[in-house]
Amino acid sequence: MAAQTPDITLADGVPAIFKSEASLKLLSMIHRVAPHPTAVLITGETGSGKELVARAIHSFSLRNDKPWIDVNCAAFPEHLIESELFGYEKGAFSGADNTKKGFFELADGGSLFLDEVGELDTRVQVKLLRVLDGVSYFRLGGNKKIQVNVRLIAATNRDLEQEVAAGRFRRDLFHRLGQIQLRVPPLRERIEDIEALANFFLGKQNMTAQFSPEAMAMLKRYPWPGNVRELRNVVVNAAVMSDLDTTVITPELLQPEIRGAAHRAAVAATPSAPEVPSGDLDEMERRMIMQALGKHAGDQGKAADQLGISRRTLSRKLKAYALEGGESEPETERPLGKLSLEQKNCFRAVLECAALIDISGQRFEVNALNVSMGGIGVSGLPLKIYGAAEVKIQFQLPGRETLIKALGKLGWIDAAGRAGIKFVSIENSDQMEDWIEGQLRKEGWIATPIPV
């Protein structure tokens, strides 16, 4: 069953629906990012749901009762976007009959979402960078400084790294926006979401209708270059073109390009005659893997099940094939999020294990809850140790034999015995860093050397 959060919707009423593994992992990452005031850059193809992710970040943040302002940077001419973002004073230019607050002022205390941020003029980029750094700014034509407290969320379907290399986007602004990056996977990488979204859109048009198994299979085979937006249009068209008493949406009601793509995929996955195996064992294995992927429209999980291997093994083999052929890594293996190195060092991995704490010769057994390279959270400490200057702690990471020993200071402790300990030094820190890196990647993150 799909997880649905009806309180998070787009302007046209589409709710957040999460069913695929990729979507659920992205939702988990949104929960991690939301409480922090750091700027977030959301990347993804047009129509993939970047605005929905931005709204989710705001909804799960501590600012959810404060203003939410969304701006499409591509919708404003270059000469207007600056005045719209930062406001203007009366008489600042021809037609400025009254003083007007900009979007930053309107979003004060809340979140400002800049969609298609890659479209901003370089002059506006400079001013945006200064505001992100906490510097006051002037309205157009004004002489009074404006100070705002805004959480900025930006989105783009462009490759900003390429835009930076081409000189069309400021490198320092990209680094400032990209401390945390979230990638929204295209719909073709979220096969399970196609069924959940299609049924939702159909229910909006005809509550009694449903897709036939053949029609749903066609929807799942189609690559959806327009992503969720295109899926909605296809489903609405099928519902409108059907008779009022239709209860089953058959393939005939789908648009020709959907049926044609499904037919081409079926022909490609089904050879006209049995193929005689040839070549060495590695080549035969490679051919079987590619045939399984073609049969399941690129779904690695289903292909791995058919082949009788784990998805991790399949992923490893696909990476090896890509390297042999000089190809880039398959898109399905791309990370869902990027963290700067500073953010990585603050990343708290969930840690549920026993730990031993030594304070002035007194030993306490506690439960370790989470850990980062900077400190550890525990529960089960007696309140009488509050104010201790030095804390020794040791614990064993799950799946590792090495015992981690650290020296730290007690940062805080609450009435329930939960406490935060800040590390001063760590034995075998490389082992812990390697384990945290693994947990980070398991959640879908990678760390990038972005200066902050």
Side-chain angles (χ1 to χ4, degrees), residues 104-218:
F104 269 97
E105 285 181 82
L106 295 176
D108 191 21
S111 303
L112 176 62
F113 174 52
L114 298 184
D115 199 6
E116 302 304 340
V117 71
E119 305 292 336
L120 286 177
D121 178 71
T122 51
R123 185 181 62 177
V124 180
Q125 291 178 29
V126 174
K127 200 165 183 178
L128 177 59
L129 178 62
R130 288 177 61 82
V131 176
L132 281 173
D133 286 336
V135 178
S136 302
Y137 64 91
F138 296 99
R139 296 190 189 124
L140 259 63
N143 53 19
K144 178 183 177 182
K145 286 189 173 182
I146 307 296
Q147 182 77 42
V148 293
N149 174 18
V150 171
R151 201 269 181 84
L152 186 68
I153 306 171
T156 182
N157 60 6
R158 293 189 179 190
D159 186 332
L160 287 190
E161 293 187 55
Q162 290 185 4
E163 296 294 299
V164 168
R168 291 187 292 268
F169 200 85
R170 291 184 62 92
R171 183 179 301 276
D172 46 7
L173 179 58
F174 170 64
H175 292 330
R176 189 66 178 80
L177 289 173
Q179 281 188 311
I180 295 179
Q181 296 183 42
L182 293 179
R183 172 181 169 266
V184 183
L187 192 56
R188 61 182 173 275
E189 293 182 16
R190 298 145 45 194
I191 303 297
E192 297 90 340
D193 289 348
I194 293 176
E195 182 173 359
L197 286 165
N199 287 330
F200 170 79
F201 294 139
L202 182 60
K204 285 286 187 180
Q205 303 296 319
N206 186 339
M207 295 183 63
T208 62
Q210 59 183 356
F211 289 98
S212 70
E214 297 78 14
M216 183 55 69
M218 286 186 174

Side-chain angles (χ1 to χ4, degrees), residues 23-100:
S23 291
L24 292 172
K25 184 176 287 188
L26 181 61
L27 180 61
S28 174
M29 297 166 80
I30 289 169
H31 277 287
R32 265 193 180 272
V33 168
H36 304 283
T38 311
V40 179
L41 178 62
I42 304 170
T43 62
E45 296 178 6
T46 298
S48 57
K50 298 187 293 295
E51 182 186 344
L52 199 64
V53 171
R55 285 181 178 271
I57 292 172
H58 175 73
S59 296
F60 295 137
S61 75
L62 303 177
R63 301 168 179 252
N64 57 14
D65 59 340
K66 300 296 191 297
W68 159 265
I69 303 294
D70 56 288
V71 183
N72 188 327
C73 298
F76 292 94
E78 289 183 6
H79 64 281
L80 281 182
I81 186 64
E82 183 176 0
S83 62
E84 293 297 324
L85 285 175
F86 304 106
Y88 55 82
E89 296 289 343
K90 181 179 179 180
F93 51 83
S94 178
D97 299 326
N98 296 289
T99 297
K100 180 181 177 180

